[in-house]
Amino acid sequence: MTATNNVVKGGQVPLKNVASFMTLTLRLQSRSPHLPGFGVFYGPSGFGKTEASIYAQNKTNAVRVEVGETWSIKKLLQELLFELRIQPKGTISDLADQVKAALGDDPRRPLIIDEADKLLRKGGMLEVIREIGDVAGCPVILIGEEMLPEKLAVHERFHNRVLDWTGAEQCDQEDVAALAAALYRGVTIAPDLLAEIARQSDGRARRICNNLDEAMKLAKNKGLKTVDLAAWGGTKFNTNTPPGARYITATRRRSA
């Protein structure tokens, strides 16, 4: 994976949201038997939710899928069985039973559903996940955008089963420093530039990586070992502000 995915050869960079996701996962795994096993990890895009879930997947041997825009219930179950290394057989009901049985064999093994907002767009998909969690007794974590908890509120049967709602947080200067140290060794980013990158990036890991990449290009082009705000100069930051409309005046061609 590339730097923009917050991944290095040794694994995920230990950002705060990685710790938050692991805390959520471990709480669901160690819950009392009478408590529900569902959790929700939510936040704006670019906060590193997916990367945090991949870290937890690697640490806990979780089953993890990212829901596709065009998925049906059958496709969802087929993908779960693929991750479980099981050959899908039979009807949709048969596929669901295969998933329940496999996850029920190891009820501490988490089921992680990324892009979970898409479950709510297709009739019955959320109920299938609820049923799998209820029958298998395994931890189930949905990952989605900032409004996911509010969207789930109208689905009472699922909403009532959520034991923990954990919101992803913006990356701070400490997270920016961790990314810089892990992804771009050999060049030091000064504290003033780290703080400004965190601010200009709106705390979003993807934008932070883009800005760090610009800092590395600057260091390479100028032969610098340390890049600070002064060295950054007029270089544009990758921000959440889209470019404004351009006003282009048409030039008339003169007659020959």
Side-chain angles (χ1 to χ4, degrees), residues 103-121:
L103 289 172
D105 286 341
D106 185 4
R108 281 183 54 83
R109 188 180 189 185
L111 170 59
I112 300 173
I113 309 292
D114 202 352
E115 300 285 348
D117 302 78
K118 295 171 185 174
L119 294 175
L120 283 68
R121 301 178 194 170

Side-chain angles (χ1 to χ4, degrees), residues 35-139:
L35 293 177
F38 294 84
V40 176
F41 194 72
Y42 63 96
S45 64
F47 271 34
K49 302 185 299 295
T50 294
E51 288 74 21
S53 72
I54 292 171
Y55 180 90
Q57 176 188 14
N58 293 335
K59 288 292 185 180
T60 65
N61 192 33
V63 177
R64 179 184 169 279
V65 295
E66 294 185 28
V67 181
E69 189 68 42
T70 61
W71 282 18
S72 61
I73 291 176
K74 183 176 182 179
K75 176 64 173 177
L76 171 64
L77 294 170
Q78 287 174 333
E79 290 296 324
L80 288 173
L81 288 170
F82 175 80
E83 293 298 325
L84 286 161
R85 306 292 189 268
I86 296 173
Q87 181 65 38
K89 294 179 182 179
T91 65
I92 291 177
S93 294
D94 294 330
L95 300 182
D97 288 342
Q98 285 180 276
V99 173
K100 294 170 195 173
L103 289 172
D105 286 341
D106 185 4
R108 281 183 54 83
R109 188 180 189 185
L111 170 59
I112 300 173
I113 309 292
D114 202 352
E115 300 285 348
D117 302 78
K118 295 171 185 174
L119 294 175
L120 283 68
R121 301 178 194 170
K122 306 289 177 68
M125 291 182 76
L126 183 66
E127 276 297 293
V128 169
I129 296 300
R130 178 198 62 75
E131 189 177 274
I132 289 171
D134 281 351
V135 174
C138 62

